[in-house]
Structures are given as structure tokens and as C-alpha cells.
Amino acid sequence: MDDVIALLFGAIVIVFFSYERFNKATYQGGGRHLQRLIDVLSPDKLRARRVVLNAYALYASTLLLIYAFLCAYAEILPLIGGPDLTSKALGASKLPESAADAARIFTGFTPANTGTLPSWTQTPPNPVVNQVEGGIGIDARVSLTVALILVGLAPTFPILQRFEEWMRSAAHRLAGIPTRVLAASEDLRRRSLELDPGTDEKKLGDTLLIPWGYWERLRFYKKHAGNALTAPEDFRNDLELIFGTLVWILDRKLKLSNSRGREQFAQLEDELRLRIEKLISALDEKTGFSPGEAAPVEIPTVKAESNPPANGEAATPAKANLVTWDRIAGEAEELADDLCLLLALYVEHEIIVEKNIASSRDLNKETSNRQQSLARAKLHGFLGDLIGTQLSPAPIRSHSIIVWLWSSGTIVLLSLVWSYYPGSLEWQLQREEPGNIYLRALNHVSTAFTCYCIPMVVVLAIRDAGIQANRWRNIWRVHWTVSLPQLLLVFVLSWAVSTLFVVGVAFWQAEFVRAWTTMRLTFEYNAPTPLRGSVLAIMVMLLLDAQAVHVTDPTKFRFRPFSSFLWGISAALVVGIAGGLGRTLTSWASAQNAFAPRSSLDAVDRGLIVYAMLNSAIIGFVVVFCVSELLSNHRSFALRRAALKRDEA
């Protein structure tokens, strides 16, 4: 059992220690403002936590597959530049000094020193086969070493390192890291906040929570920069965005959500606030602004840019960096870029949400909340549809994790019940004896997990990654010529991954890893089994897409009280047929490859087909029924909460 424990411990090491490796940036050269902030923006900060966890689950699952493969085929590591983990001297400090020591160390028993037969033919008191019975044939040192190599705690080798970087980059791209936030920030840069500072003669009516001194500065800077810049309007828009974001976000005049998530951006806020203060100081010094002045005494011209200091002293480094208006405008432009990135991050992490920004009933009343409401409405108008895409329940609330947990738990529970009865009848029909309850339970649970749970997680991961990357086509919204290739791709990938697990487990059990004949026979016998799991996963995917369509268009897929029951019956029929078909193919493979090949199925085969159909139909009904009820409950809760908010408003 030591090899089993070591294998599981290595998998735990990968799950818990690979996140730090996943969180390394793979987006070098992703834009000026991203490069300036790359030190404080790790990948897990560029998307919502649930999206990052989904991407990490894909990354960790891939590492676990590689881990299982390298543990099973450790002898190929030297061929691809890795260490030789199959050497018997691995981890040893010295070689045994005698044959007796070698036998005692490596076999676990001391051979007899007397007798007429050679020691290797004598039967020890406790046979070695009893000590290793139940093992999987993988050295514990191999498992732990491979796990440490994969998570970077042991020296790696070039091929594995490049593959890990490619997988990390692929997981980041599927999660939209950093493309989604960058695209949102670039979209914001094409908009303007449109703050009207008024004129000196006209008193400002609505301050929008912005202090009077900042309004004075906006007017003052605008007058001074008008003759010195080639694009004064862009400079004015940048200043409006800087002052508005400084007051509303950095100075926290507007109340936002998710205060815990906001704390991870505290360093970024401090750096931006410091840069804004430096820019304001440079502008004040450039224009000669002093607080309280109603109008500038003199507007400098462009010719003043090249004049040396009046007292003949050398310019300080700060003055040298901001000596021209173009330099100041460039600093303001970069600062506005970073503030747009901050706003996009806050929308992504649901720190800025619609309920905190939408205009309220105080807009048309002279109350203490008027300026707060006007400021919220102004920011909402600037962000526009960016908030709408974040709050859309269909693309973000995909329910993938909770659906997979419910489905897997249901499958495991039903498999345990089935293993007790009528699993004993199925076992007796197949092996001519009822078998042990624990052995039957282990066999049914492991088979159900590889056949049902693995295809389910693959389908849900592909769907969720496609939604986050805006590449998923809802099955019910597009023409069948568009949905069919996507459906086939998801089906084939889920089946292939599940088959890889099933065949791998069968290889370990059969211990005929290198024999092509065994590989072919094992594949023909086991490959049809996961078909039922892939079909069930497709049924759950169709249910999720139908629920997404119903959220945006309630006239389609109306969920009535018996909808969950109808979905369950449909799943039972479809998955039951798939289970019977898969068992039929397995029985045909068994009949053709038997020691005495049979040309047709016998009564035993037909009985196993019936049991497979019943098992698949029951699992399909219960899983889809529970998922449908779960989604209906979430939908009803959301509707009640929305109605309650409308009543309160």
C-alpha cells in the first residue's frame, strides 16, 4: 500500500503547490500600462476569482494527467531529457555489501542459509507476494519525485518546462487573462467622462462630490494648456477622468461593494494616488496655480517652454522631467490608461456593480443624497454596457462547479447503492459468484467516476471556458450547422479523456502495459463504457443552456412544476439507451476476443445489457432531475430577491 499512498500524496502535492506556478505571468509584452503595473497585477487579480479557479482546475487537472502518465511510464523520462527514476540506486547512499543484505533490503525476507536448494527457490515464512498484494506497481520514490518536478520544487527538464509554460498560457488564454480586462480598459479609453467645470463667472450647480478646488484646477489647467498642446481636448478628458476617479474611487467618496476583494488592490490604489499627487503638483507649478484663485493672472505661451530658470539656478530633476506641456500630457495619458484598467478590474471583481451606481429617486430632489446619486449616475454612464456584461447571469453564473459537485455526489451515492443490490446480481452473473461488498463498491464507484464524472468535468470546463472567452455558441440560439461541430467536439473530447482514464486504470490492473494485443483488447472492451457518461454530460449541458436562454427570454423553455421530472425522464431514456449500447459493444468485444470466440451474444451478455441500461437510466434521471431542481431554485431565489429590491425602491 505504500505505493498507493505515495501516489495519492504526490497528487495532493500537485494540487496544493501548483497554484503558485499557475499564478506566474505568461503575457509579456501585453501593452504599456500592463507592463507598468505588472509587479502588482498577478494573473489571479486580472479576472474574477471563480474564473481563475476554473482555469486553475483545468491547469491542475492537466498536471495530474501528466503526473499519472509519468508515474506509469517513468522509464521514458531519460529519453526526453529527464532523470532516470527507474534506477535501483535512486536515493541510496551505498550499495549492499553482501547478497544476504541485498535480499533482506530489497525483498523484505532473509533467505535460508542451509538446505540443498538455492536460496532463491525456497519459500519464505511470509511470502513476498502477500506483502505487495494490492499495490499498483509504481515505486513510491518515483511518485514523489515526479510530483516535486511538476510543481517546481525539484529540478525540471526543458521539454516538461516548455509544456508546462504552454499549458499555463493556454489556461490563461481560456480564462481571458489578461485580454478581457485589457479590452475593457481600452474600450473605456475611447469614452469621456464629460465633467463640466463651468466658467469663473458661472457658479457650479452640481459638484458630483468633487471638491471645489479640483473644479478650479480643471478650469485653470484648461485655460493654460489651450495654447500649448496640439490635442487640448484629449488632455481635458484625461484630467476629468483623473479627478473623477481620484475622488469617487481612490478617496472612496462612493460606496462600492466587495470590500474584501478590494483590499488586494490597495497597493495599486496607493501607487495611482501618489502619481496623481505628483501630476497635480507638476501642473500647479507649471501654471502657477494657487488654491482660492478665481482666475489666472497670466496665461503662459508656448515660447516659455525653453526659458531657463529666472534665478539662473539649474533645474531640479523633477522640473526637468516635466519641463514641457507635452511631457505633462503624456504623464496624464498614461495615468488615465491605468485608471481605466483599475475601473475595468473593479467591474470584473464585482467591486463596482450596478446596484451601487444606478441613479436613484433622489436625482430630482434637493436632498443630501443628490450629489451622491448624480455621481453614481455619471460613473454608470461612463462605464455603460461594461457593467451590463458583468452582471449578465448567463455568461458569468454558469453554475459549473456546483453542477459538477451535485452530479458527482449523486453518481457516487447511486453507485454505492447499486453495488449492494442489484450490483451483487450483476457481479454474480459476470463472475459466477457474488463477491465481496467492499470490492464491489470500490469497483462500481471507480468505474462510475471515470465513466461519468470525468466526462462531466471535461464538458463543463469546455463550456465555461468558452463562455468566459466569448466563444461559446448556445445550442438553442444558433443554427444546427453551427452547433453540431461544437457538440461533436465536446462529445469527442469528453469521451477521449474518460477513455484515457479507463484504459490507464485497466493497464495498471492488468500489468500488460507494453503488449499491443493487450492494449487493443483493453481498448475494445473498456472504450464503450464512458459513452453513457458523455451522453449524460451533454444532457446536463443542454439543460444549462436552456436555463440560460430562459433567463434572457422567459418565453422560451418555460420551466413548469413538472419540468424537472420531464427533463429527468428524457435523460433516463437517452442515457439508458447509451448505457445499453455501450454494454452491447463491450459484450461484442468480449465475445469476439474470448478464448473460444462466439458469433453472437448469449443470455449472460443480454442480462448485462439490461443491467447497464437500468443503471444508466436511474443515474441519468436522478442527476438531471436534481440539477434541474437546483437551477429552478436559484432562478426563483433571484426573482424573489429582485422583486424585494423593487419593493424597497
Side-chain angles (χ1 to χ4, degrees), residues 13 29 53 71 74 80 89 114 127 152 169 186 288 336 366 381 421 427 431 463 545 598 616:
V13 168
L53 290 179
C71 288
I80 58 177
T114 60
S169 177
E186 291 173 358
E366 293 296 336
Y421 188 85
W427 191 279
R431 295 171 174 81
R463 179 181 182 271
D545 278 354
R598 292 177 282 112
S616 303

Side-chain angles (χ1 to χ4, degrees), residues 386-433:
L386 182 62
I387 290 185
T389 56
Q390 174 63 28
L391 294 180
S392 177
I396 299 300
R397 303 296 184 184
S398 60
H399 307 289
S400 296
I401 295 179
I402 190 171
V403 165
W404 186 79
L405 291 177
W406 264 91
S407 302
S408 301
T410 305
I411 290 169
V412 171
L413 180 60
L414 291 176
S415 299
L416 287 174
V417 175
W418 181 274
S419 65
Y420 181 76
Y421 188 85
S424 58
L425 301 179
E426 181 186 14
W427 191 279
Q428 186 172 5
L429 186 63
Q430 190 173 11
R431 295 171 174 81
E432 298 181 354
E433 53 96 14

Side-chain angles (χ1 to χ4, degrees), residues 357-368:
I357 298 176
S359 58
S360 69
R361 57 186 177 182
D362 296 323
L363 282 175
N364 299 321
K365 297 181 180 180
E366 293 296 336
T367 64
S368 58

Side-chain angles (χ1 to χ4, degrees), residues 22 513 594:
F22 167 79
V513 179

Side-chain angles (χ1 to χ4, degrees), residues 625-642:
F625 178 83
C626 292
V627 171
S628 180
E629 285 294 302
L630 176 70
L631 296 178
S632 299
N633 179 62
H634 276 260
R635 184 170 56 255
S636 301
F637 177 76
L639 293 176
R640 290 195 300 269
R641 185 172 57 181

Side-chain angles (χ1 to χ4, degrees), residues 67 70-71 74 85-86 90 138-147:
Y67 167 70
L70 292 180
C71 288
L85 303 182
T86 60
L90 181 65
I138 298 178
D139 196 304
R141 297 168 298 177
V142 172
S143 302
L144 296 179
T145 304
V146 171

